[in-house]
Amino acid sequence: MQERELKRRLDRYKHQLKELSDSKTDRLKRFGHYMPTLLTAIDDAYKMGRFRKKPVGPLGACIRLKNPELALAVESCLKGLLFAFCCDNHQDERMLQNIMSRECPKGRRPQIIVNEFRNEVYNVGQRAAVHPNYPSVLTALEIENPVVANCLIDMRGVETILLIKNAEEAREVMQVRAPPRNCREAFNGSGDQLFSNRYYSSDKDRAMLLSRDVEIEISHLEQEIRNLSNHLSTFQQRLHSVEKELKENENFLRLYHNTKKQIQVEIRSLQARINDLENVEEQPSIDIATLEGEAEDIRSRIVQVKYEMEQAKETLENLASLRRNAEKEYEEIKLKISSVSEGAEPVKEELQKIDQEVENCKRHKKHYETKLMEHLGSIQKRKHELSTKEKDLELKISQAKCVYPEQIEVTRTARSLDTEINRLREKINSEEDLHGNREEIIKQYHNAKERYQDVESKVKSLKRFVKLLEEIMAQRYKSYQQFRR
């Protein structure tokens, strides 16, 4: 039972250590590794309009301590309420139950409190406990959301519970004297709960959820885990020693049983010989000398048998003593076996649970290996897409260099450039609507250019021909002038 309790505490501390280590990056993980995922699912459902009013929680994440030294007292007071969620109506509660059944591990679903949301904290001035030196739980907390404050007032009556750090002062206030007005109970700095006529000790020695220094809590837990592991190792060594001793005693017991059976066989054999000798019938004597010789032989045999019987009786008594000792040891061993069996049953149960957890871990491992392969395939696909995009980019760059050889550095964003491109495309489309298709215009331009070049070459030829004619005419006119003279 001690070993089982140690293992349970060790598992609990390891689980707390993991949650604290995770909470260094995300404070919500103090309330469970699943809490960030649960809150994300609640946010998504609220954005989709599935809640009338968004649930509030976990309540422990919505409060802050004014005095960190009272963290253990507040945790001992609120307990499971630190993990609870608050809903405005039952329809929202049902939706939150559905989300929790999907996101929360089995057996760790937080409590849901249905309480109409209000924008103001209850007026508790008439029923609140007031003391000049000690705060109530309500006044010791910083609570921004009135829904959280009202929920704690309704569910725990935090306005009537005092927090008294010193244990002796707490007993003085609550039990030696009459408790302050409206004060139902109080908690001291160690987490112990005090009523006017009762006192309940806390089973915790440190605050886990509301503590601000996570590193100190992690070092405390690691030390506790080391101590428990050493203690558990000692128990397991003792168990191994008892099992070894049990096997040795069982071997001794089997040996004594075999020896006892052999002695009983010998006793029965000797008793049969005695009976045979006692039942021997005398034969008619023919020769007295012969008979006397036989009688002497028989007497010597009887003496020998009696001697053997005495030896056998002594051996029998020794064996009987050994048998009694063996039976006594056997009873002691049976008691040890029974006690070890009783202690082994919980160990077997723990082993079964551990085997089941191992199977679950194997299934989780297989699941995550599948997910890993999917992610690796997705990464490969993205790399292929990246390679394709890079090739496409190189092609676009080469095409762009045909238009303009040098790359232009721009300070504008891609969005503004896309907007400008779309605007220019719209302008091009409108110009095409007004003036025709760009390809057709370019084709007409090239045709016109070819005709122009053709005409231009013809004009140049004609100009050369005209110039030549002018030269001929001038020559003829000159010759004409000379001829006329």
Side-chain angles (χ1 to χ4, degrees):
M1 288 174 65
Q2 289 176 340
E3 184 185 21
R4 186 168 69 251
E5 180 61 27
L6 280 175
K7 284 184 176 180
R8 189 181 297 116
R9 287 174 60 192
L10 187 61
D11 291 339
R12 186 171 72 248
Y13 285 158
K14 285 181 178 179
H15 181 71
Q16 290 176 355
L17 179 62
K18 184 179 183 304
E19 289 186 345
L20 278 177
S21 299
D22 293 340
S23 69
K24 288 196 293 186
T25 55
D26 191 344
R27 184 174 178 269
L28 289 172
K29 289 187 177 179
R30 287 196 188 188
F31 301 91
H33 65 277
Y34 59 88
M35 193 58 69
T37 308
L38 175 60
L39 292 179
T40 301
I42 291 173
D43 289 338
D44 294 341
Y46 179 69
K47 290 175 182 177
M48 296 170 66
R50 295 181 180 177
F51 289 108
R52 293 182 185 175
K53 293 184 179 180
K54 183 180 176 182
V56 177
L59 299 184
C62 304
I63 62 176
R64 297 289 184 278
L65 284 169
K66 295 178 181 177
N67 184 358
E69 296 178 349
L70 298 175
L72 180 56
V74 175
E75 278 194 23
S76 299
C77 174
L78 300 181
K79 296 181 179 177
L81 282 176
L82 294 172
F83 300 88
F85 282 75
C86 191
C87 288
D88 175 70
N89 54 78
H90 289 285
Q91 181 179 345
D92 288 352
E93 179 203 11
R94 287 191 292 272
M95 177 56 62
L96 184 56
Q97 287 280 12
N98 293 334
I99 295 174
M100 285 183 176
S101 64
R102 187 175 65 250
E103 301 294 341
C104 299
K106 188 176 181 181
R108 297 198 63 186
R109 188 182 300 182
Q111 178 186 0
I112 300 177
I113 301 164
V114 180
N115 195 9
E116 184 182 359
F117 288 2
R118 297 189 180 186
N119 296 326
E120 296 181 354
V121 180
Y122 297 146
N123 184 3
V124 294
Q126 297 299 321
R127 62 175 187 270
V130 179
H131 195 282
N133 300 325
Y134 312 115
S136 67
V137 177
L138 182 61
T139 57
L141 298 175
E142 294 179 358
I143 307 174
E144 297 180 358
N145 194 335
V147 172
V148 177
N150 293 337
C151 182
L152 295 179
I153 292 170
D154 287 336
M155 300 301 297
R156 192 65 182 89
V158 291
E159 77 281 6
T160 64
I161 303 172
L162 291 180
L163 298 176
I164 306 172
K165 183 181 177 183
N166 187 277
E168 293 181 0
E169 292 179 6
R171 284 186 180 274
E172 178 75 22
V173 171
M174 293 300 297
Q175 296 180 342
V176 176
R177 294 179 293 182
R181 187 171 65 88
N182 294 331
C183 179
R184 296 187 298 104
E185 57 185 294
F187 286 84
N188 63 25
S190 301
D192 300 339
Q193 186 179 18
L194 296 93
F195 293 90
S196 59
N197 57 353
R198 299 189 304 282
Y199 188 99
Y200 299 103
S201 297
S202 173
D203 57 351
K204 295 182 179 180
D205 53 1
R206 291 186 309 277
M208 301 299 296
L209 302 174
L210 301 179
S211 173
R212 292 183 181 177
D213 197 336
V214 180
E215 294 296 338
I216 293 178
E217 296 301 323
I218 288 175
S219 63
H220 282 314
L221 275 178
E222 288 175 344
Q223 184 62 40
E224 288 287 343
I225 288 172
R226 284 193 292 270
N227 294 339
L228 285 175
S229 298
N230 294 335
H231 204 178
L232 183 61
S233 177
T234 304
F235 272 106
Q236 289 172 343
Q237 289 175 1
R238 285 177 56 192
L239 180 61
H240 179 70
S241 176
V242 170
E243 288 175 348
K244 184 179 178 182
E245 185 181 352
L246 179 63
K247 289 180 181 179
E248 292 175 354
N249 289 333
E250 287 175 348
N251 292 332
F252 283 130
L253 188 61
R254 281 194 296 271
L255 179 61
Y256 290 145
H257 274 298
N258 293 333
T259 307
K260 177 185 174 185
K261 288 179 181 179
Q262 292 175 1
I263 293 170
Q264 288 174 344
V265 170
E266 292 179 3
I267 290 172
R268 285 194 294 270
S269 176
L270 291 173
Q271 191 67 43
R273 288 179 62 190
I274 292 171
N275 292 335
D276 290 341
L277 290 173
E278 288 177 348
N279 294 330
V280 170
E281 296 180 359
E282 293 186 8
Q283 299 295 327
S285 59
I286 298 172
D287 188 355
I288 293 174
T290 303
L291 292 174
E292 286 179 352
E294 290 181 0
E296 189 64 30
D297 291 338
I298 289 170
R299 278 194 292 272
S300 64
R301 286 174 63 191
I302 289 172
V303 171
Q304 181 66 28
V305 168
K306 285 183 178 179
Y307 177 74
E308 290 178 358
M309 283 182 62
E310 291 296 328
Q311 293 292 325
K313 284 182 179 179
E314 290 179 3
T315 305
L316 181 61
E317 288 178 359
N318 292 332
L319 291 175
S321 175
L322 290 173
R323 177 173 171 264
R324 286 192 296 272
N325 293 334
E327 287 178 347
K328 185 177 179 182
E329 291 182 5
Y330 174 70
E331 291 299 327
E332 292 177 355
I333 291 168
K334 278 179 67 178
L335 291 175
K336 287 183 180 180
I337 291 172
S338 176
S339 63
V340 171
S341 297
E342 290 177 0
E345 284 302 322
V347 175
K348 289 179 181 178
E349 292 177 3
E350 288 294 327
L351 284 174
Q352 273 186 329
K353 291 181 181 177
I354 291 170
D355 288 338
Q356 188 175 0
E357 289 179 3
V358 169
E359 290 299 324
N360 291 335
C361 291
K362 285 181 179 177
R363 287 197 296 272
H364 291 325
K365 179 186 175 186
K366 187 175 180 181
H367 171 72
Y368 288 119
E369 284 177 348
T370 305
K371 288 288 186 184
L372 177 62
M373 295 303 294
E374 291 177 359
H375 285 306
L376 290 175
S378 178
I379 290 170
Q380 197 63 32
K381 182 180 177 182
R382 293 290 184 271
K383 285 182 178 178
H384 180 69
E385 291 179 357
L386 178 62
S387 176
T388 306
K389 295 292 184 183
E390 288 176 345
K391 291 179 181 178
D392 191 22
L393 177 62
E394 292 176 358
L395 179 61
K396 295 292 185 185
I397 291 173
S398 63
Q399 291 176 351
K401 285 182 177 179
C402 294
V403 178
Y404 193 83
E406 295 182 2
Q407 184 175 355
I408 301 173
E409 295 294 334
V410 295
T411 57
R412 298 171 62 184
T413 63
R415 185 186 295 274
S416 64
L417 290 174
D418 287 337
T419 305
E420 182 67 18
I421 289 169
N422 291 331
R423 187 181 65 79
L424 291 174
R425 281 178 180 166
E426 291 176 358
K427 186 174 181 181
I428 289 169
N429 291 333
S430 63
E431 290 294 327
E432 286 182 350
D433 292 338
L434 291 173
H435 303 289
N437 185 269
R438 177 175 175 271
E439 299 295 331
E440 186 65 29
I441 292 173
I442 291 172
K443 186 177 179 181
Q444 292 176 2
Y445 162 74
H446 285 300
N447 292 334
K449 186 178 180 182
E450 288 177 0
R451 291 198 304 271
Y452 167 76
Q453 290 174 347
D454 184 49
V455 170
E456 188 180 26
S457 63
K458 290 180 179 180
V459 168
K460 286 180 179 179
S461 299
L462 288 174
K463 282 182 178 179
R464 286 195 299 271
F465 183 67
V466 169
K467 188 176 180 182
L468 181 60
L469 288 176
E470 287 177 348
E471 290 175 355
I472 292 172
M473 289 301 294
Q475 186 66 32
R476 284 185 175 185
Y477 182 75
K478 186 177 178 182
S479 299
Y480 168 73
Q481 290 292 341
Q482 291 176 356
F483 181 72
R484 192 178 63 174
R485 281 195 302 269

mmCIF file of all heavy atoms in Angstrom, residues 395-421:
data_model
loop_
_atom_site.group_PDB
_atom_site.id
_atom_site.type_symbol
_atom_site.label_atom_id
_atom_site.label_comp_id
_atom_site.label_asym_id
_atom_site.label_seq_id
_atom_site.Cartn_x
_atom_site.Cartn_y
_atom_site.Cartn_z
ATOM 1 N N LEU A 395 11.779 32.616 -64.832
ATOM 2 C CA LEU A 395 11.202 32.847 -66.157
ATOM 3 C C LEU A 395 10.641 34.255 -66.262
ATOM 4 O O LEU A 395 10.850 34.963 -67.260
ATOM 5 C CB LEU A 395 10.111 31.791 -66.422
ATOM 6 C CG LEU A 395 9.384 31.900 -67.761
ATOM 7 C CD1 LEU A 395 10.358 31.739 -68.938
ATOM 8 C CD2 LEU A 395 8.265 30.869 -67.844
ATOM 9 N N LYS A 396 9.917 34.688 -65.213
ATOM 10 C CA LYS A 396 9.330 36.029 -65.229
ATOM 11 C C LYS A 396 10.430 37.088 -65.276
ATOM 12 O O LYS A 396 10.290 38.107 -65.955
ATOM 13 C CB LYS A 396 8.466 36.227 -63.976
ATOM 14 C CG LYS A 396 7.254 35.322 -63.894
ATOM 15 C CD LYS A 396 6.219 35.649 -64.950
ATOM 16 C CE LYS A 396 4.960 34.804 -64.765
ATOM 17 N NZ LYS A 396 3.988 35.027 -65.852
ATOM 18 N N ILE A 397 11.537 36.807 -64.492
ATOM 19 C CA ILE A 397 12.633 37.786 -64.487
ATOM 20 C C ILE A 397 13.263 37.878 -65.869
ATOM 21 O O ILE A 397 13.571 38.973 -66.378
ATOM 22 C CB ILE A 397 13.674 37.385 -63.429
ATOM 23 C CG1 ILE A 397 13.093 37.574 -62.022
ATOM 24 C CG2 ILE A 397 14.956 38.188 -63.585
ATOM 25 C CD1 ILE A 397 13.977 37.049 -60.913
ATOM 26 N N SER A 398 13.465 36.713 -66.535
ATOM 27 C CA SER A 398 14.043 36.737 -67.885
ATOM 28 C C SER A 398 13.124 37.466 -68.863
ATOM 29 O O SER A 398 13.575 38.217 -69.735
ATOM 30 C CB SER A 398 14.317 35.307 -68.358
ATOM 31 O OG SER A 398 13.101 34.583 -68.458
ATOM 32 N N GLN A 399 11.793 37.238 -68.712
ATOM 33 C CA GLN A 399 10.839 37.956 -69.573
ATOM 34 C C GLN A 399 10.880 39.450 -69.298
ATOM 35 O O GLN A 399 10.802 40.271 -70.229
ATOM 36 C CB GLN A 399 9.428 37.407 -69.351
ATOM 37 C CG GLN A 399 9.236 35.981 -69.872
ATOM 38 C CD GLN A 399 7.859 35.443 -69.543
ATOM 39 O OE1 GLN A 399 7.115 36.066 -68.794
ATOM 40 N NE2 GLN A 399 7.522 34.290 -70.121
ATOM 41 N N ALA A 400 11.009 39.781 -67.987
ATOM 42 C CA ALA A 400 11.050 41.207 -67.639
ATOM 43 C C ALA A 400 12.319 41.869 -68.185
ATOM 44 O O ALA A 400 12.293 43.042 -68.595
ATOM 45 C CB ALA A 400 10.970 41.368 -66.123
ATOM 46 N N LYS A 401 13.445 41.128 -68.206
ATOM 47 C CA LYS A 401 14.689 41.694 -68.724
ATOM 48 C C LYS A 401 14.587 41.993 -70.218
ATOM 49 O O LYS A 401 15.299 42.857 -70.731
ATOM 50 C CB LYS A 401 15.845 40.733 -68.465
ATOM 51 C CG LYS A 401 16.290 40.725 -67.006
ATOM 52 C CD LYS A 401 17.476 39.785 -66.798
ATOM 53 C CE LYS A 401 17.948 39.857 -65.354
ATOM 54 N NZ LYS A 401 19.084 38.939 -65.102
ATOM 55 N N CYS A 402 13.721 41.232 -70.910
ATOM 56 C CA CYS A 402 13.512 41.536 -72.327
ATOM 57 C C CYS A 402 12.876 42.911 -72.492
ATOM 58 O O CYS A 402 13.086 43.596 -73.492
ATOM 59 C CB CYS A 402 12.628 40.464 -72.969
ATOM 60 S SG CYS A 402 13.408 38.835 -73.044
ATOM 61 N N VAL A 403 12.045 43.267 -71.506
ATOM 62 C CA VAL A 403 11.387 44.575 -71.567
ATOM 63 C C VAL A 403 12.325 45.665 -71.061
ATOM 64 O O VAL A 403 12.463 46.725 -71.658
ATOM 65 C CB VAL A 403 10.083 44.537 -70.727
ATOM 66 C CG1 VAL A 403 9.418 45.918 -70.751
ATOM 67 C CG2 VAL A 403 9.143 43.477 -71.285
ATOM 68 N N TYR A 404 12.969 45.363 -69.923
ATOM 69 C CA TYR A 404 13.882 46.348 -69.331
ATOM 70 C C TYR A 404 15.029 45.584 -68.708
ATOM 71 O O TYR A 404 14.807 44.757 -67.800
ATOM 72 C CB TYR A 404 13.147 47.184 -68.283
ATOM 73 C CG TYR A 404 13.922 48.426 -67.861
ATOM 74 C CD1 TYR A 404 13.865 49.588 -68.633
ATOM 75 C CD2 TYR A 404 14.699 48.416 -66.711
ATOM 76 C CE1 TYR A 404 14.573 50.713 -68.253
ATOM 77 C CE2 TYR A 404 15.409 49.534 -66.325
ATOM 78 C CZ TYR A 404 15.343 50.691 -67.111
ATOM 79 O OH TYR A 404 16.050 51.809 -66.738
ATOM 80 N N PRO A 405 16.263 45.758 -69.157
ATOM 81 C CA PRO A 405 17.366 44.867 -68.742
ATOM 82 C C PRO A 405 17.754 44.981 -67.278
ATOM 83 O O PRO A 405 18.257 44.036 -66.700
ATOM 84 C CB PRO A 405 18.522 45.283 -69.654
ATOM 85 C CG PRO A 405 18.191 46.674 -70.077
ATOM 86 C CD PRO A 405 16.710 46.772 -70.139
ATOM 87 N N GLU A 406 17.577 46.113 -66.670
ATOM 88 C CA GLU A 406 18.004 46.295 -65.286
ATOM 89 C C GLU A 406 16.814 46.156 -64.342
ATOM 90 O O GLU A 406 15.735 46.656 -64.622
ATOM 91 C CB GLU A 406 18.648 47.681 -65.099
ATOM 92 C CG GLU A 406 19.942 47.853 -65.873
ATOM 93 C CD GLU A 406 20.553 49.209 -65.606
ATOM 94 O OE1 GLU A 406 19.973 49.965 -64.791
ATOM 95 O OE2 GLU A 406 21.594 49.531 -66.214
ATOM 96 N N GLN A 407 17.074 45.476 -63.209
ATOM 97 C CA GLN A 407 16.007 45.310 -62.206
ATOM 98 C C GLN A 407 15.820 46.612 -61.442
ATOM 99 O O GLN A 407 16.787 47.248 -61.019
ATOM 100 C CB GLN A 407 16.379 44.197 -61.229
ATOM 101 C CG GLN A 407 15.272 43.912 -60.223
ATOM 102 C CD GLN A 407 15.610 42.720 -59.340
ATOM 103 O OE1 GLN A 407 16.613 42.083 -59.558
ATOM 104 N NE2 GLN A 407 14.778 42.461 -58.374
ATOM 105 N N ILE A 408 14.584 46.988 -61.269
ATOM 106 C CA ILE A 408 14.249 48.261 -60.617
ATOM 107 C C ILE A 408 13.940 47.982 -59.150
ATOM 108 O O ILE A 408 13.109 47.124 -58.825
ATOM 109 C CB ILE A 408 13.046 48.933 -61.296
ATOM 110 C CG1 ILE A 408 13.364 49.186 -62.778
ATOM 111 C CG2 ILE A 408 12.668 50.220 -60.581
ATOM 112 C CD1 ILE A 408 12.184 49.698 -63.560
ATOM 113 N N GLU A 409 14.639 48.665 -58.249
ATOM 114 C CA GLU A 409 14.344 48.541 -56.819
ATOM 115 C C GLU A 409 13.112 49.391 -56.492
ATOM 116 O O GLU A 409 13.066 50.575 -56.834
ATOM 117 C CB GLU A 409 15.542 49.024 -55.987
ATOM 118 C CG GLU A 409 16.785 48.181 -56.139
ATOM 119 C CD GLU A 409 16.581 46.796 -55.570
ATOM 120 O OE1 GLU A 409 15.741 46.647 -54.667
ATOM 121 O OE2 GLU A 409 17.264 45.867 -56.042
ATOM 122 N N VAL A 410 12.140 48.763 -55.854
ATOM 123 C CA VAL A 410 10.906 49.484 -55.514
ATOM 124 C C VAL A 410 10.720 49.462 -54.008
ATOM 125 O O VAL A 410 11.147 48.545 -53.319
ATOM 126 C CB VAL A 410 9.685 48.850 -56.204
ATOM 127 C CG1 VAL A 410 9.778 48.979 -57.702
ATOM 128 C CG2 VAL A 410 9.538 47.391 -55.812
ATOM 129 N N THR A 411 10.073 50.507 -53.505
ATOM 130 C CA THR A 411 9.771 50.586 -52.067
ATOM 131 C C THR A 411 8.304 50.332 -51.797
ATOM 132 O O THR A 411 7.895 50.276 -50.645
ATOM 133 C CB THR A 411 10.147 51.975 -51.540
ATOM 134 O OG1 THR A 411 9.448 52.977 -52.298
ATOM 135 C CG2 THR A 411 11.646 52.196 -51.653
ATOM 136 N N ARG A 412 7.536 50.189 -52.878
ATOM 137 C CA ARG A 412 6.096 49.964 -52.704
ATOM 138 C C ARG A 412 5.837 48.507 -52.353
ATOM 139 O O ARG A 412 6.613 47.620 -52.680
ATOM 140 C CB ARG A 412 5.359 50.351 -53.985
ATOM 141 C CG ARG A 412 5.513 51.817 -54.336
ATOM 142 C CD ARG A 412 4.959 52.109 -55.711
ATOM 143 N NE ARG A 412 3.531 51.843 -55.811
ATOM 144 C CZ ARG A 412 2.835 51.942 -56.935
ATOM 145 N NH1 ARG A 412 3.439 52.306 -58.049
ATOM 146 N NH2 ARG A 412 1.553 51.678 -56.934
ATOM 147 N N THR A 413 4.703 48.259 -51.690
ATOM 148 C CA THR A 413 4.344 46.894 -51.286
ATOM 149 C C THR A 413 3.778 46.130 -52.472
ATOM 150 O O THR A 413 3.367 46.715 -53.484
ATOM 151 C CB THR A 413 3.301 46.923 -50.160
ATOM 152 O OG1 THR A 413 2.104 47.547 -50.648
ATOM 153 C CG2 THR A 413 3.820 47.684 -48.953
ATOM 154 N N ALA A 414 3.778 44.792 -52.330
ATOM 155 C CA ALA A 414 3.230 43.941 -53.391
ATOM 156 C C ALA A 414 1.753 44.233 -53.611
ATOM 157 O O ALA A 414 1.254 44.202 -54.743
ATOM 158 C CB ALA A 414 3.436 42.465 -53.031
ATOM 159 N N ARG A 415 1.054 44.528 -52.503
ATOM 160 C CA ARG A 415 -0.382 44.825 -52.638
ATOM 161 C C ARG A 415 -0.617 46.067 -53.489
ATOM 162 O O ARG A 415 -1.482 46.085 -54.370
ATOM 163 C CB ARG A 415 -0.999 44.985 -51.244
ATOM 164 C CG ARG A 415 -2.517 45.168 -51.255
ATOM 165 C CD ARG A 415 -3.018 45.476 -49.859
ATOM 166 N NE ARG A 415 -2.795 44.351 -48.971
ATOM 167 C CZ ARG A 415 -3.643 43.333 -48.856
ATOM 168 N NH1 ARG A 415 -4.759 43.329 -49.567
ATOM 169 N NH2 ARG A 415 -3.391 42.344 -48.040
ATOM 170 N N SER A 416 0.190 47.146 -53.227
ATOM 171 C CA SER A 416 0.005 48.378 -54.001
ATOM 172 C C SER A 416 0.395 48.154 -55.459
ATOM 173 O O SER A 416 -0.255 48.682 -56.371
ATOM 174 C CB SER A 416 0.841 49.495 -53.391
ATOM 175 O OG SER A 416 2.226 49.189 -53.496
ATOM 176 N N LEU A 417 1.453 47.341 -55.711
ATOM 177 C CA LEU A 417 1.840 47.040 -57.090
ATOM 178 C C LEU A 417 0.755 46.248 -57.803
ATOM 179 O O LEU A 417 0.445 46.509 -58.972
ATOM 180 C CB LEU A 417 3.151 46.256 -57.105
ATOM 181 C CG LEU A 417 4.406 47.048 -56.698
ATOM 182 C CD1 LEU A 417 5.595 46.115 -56.610
ATOM 183 C CD2 LEU A 417 4.675 48.165 -57.679
ATOM 184 N N ASP A 418 0.162 45.263 -57.097
ATOM 185 C CA ASP A 418 -0.958 44.506 -57.695
ATOM 186 C C ASP A 418 -2.114 45.435 -58.034
ATOM 187 O O ASP A 418 -2.758 45.309 -59.086
ATOM 188 C CB ASP A 418 -1.424 43.414 -56.734
ATOM 189 C CG ASP A 418 -0.428 42.274 -56.660
ATOM 190 O OD1 ASP A 418 0.351 42.120 -57.624
ATOM 191 O OD2 ASP A 418 -0.447 41.545 -55.650
ATOM 192 N N THR A 419 -2.371 46.375 -57.113
ATOM 193 C CA THR A 419 -3.455 47.339 -57.365
ATOM 194 C C THR A 419 -3.155 48.175 -58.600
ATOM 195 O O THR A 419 -4.023 48.407 -59.460
ATOM 196 C CB THR A 419 -3.642 48.237 -56.136
ATOM 197 O OG1 THR A 419 -3.860 47.421 -54.983
ATOM 198 C CG2 THR A 419 -4.823 49.167 -56.323
ATOM 199 N N GLU A 420 -1.886 48.645 -58.738
ATOM 200 C CA GLU A 420 -1.487 49.457 -59.883
ATOM 201 C C GLU A 420 -1.579 48.656 -61.181
ATOM 202 O O GLU A 420 -2.052 49.154 -62.223
ATOM 203 C CB GLU A 420 -0.055 49.958 -59.669
ATOM 204 C CG GLU A 420 0.488 50.857 -60.762
ATOM 205 C CD GLU A 420 -0.220 52.200 -60.828
ATOM 206 O OE1 GLU A 420 -0.878 52.560 -59.813
ATOM 207 O OE2 GLU A 420 -0.136 52.872 -61.852
ATOM 208 N N ILE A 421 -1.138 47.370 -61.107
ATOM 209 C CA ILE A 421 -1.209 46.509 -62.301
ATOM 210 C C ILE A 421 -2.653 46.313 -62.735
ATOM 211 O O ILE A 421 -2.992 46.388 -63.932
ATOM 212 C CB ILE A 421 -0.528 45.152 -62.015
ATOM 213 C CG1 ILE A 421 0.987 45.350 -61.921
ATOM 214 C CG2 ILE A 421 -0.858 44.135 -63.088
ATOM 215 C CD1 ILE A 421 1.722 44.136 -61.390
#
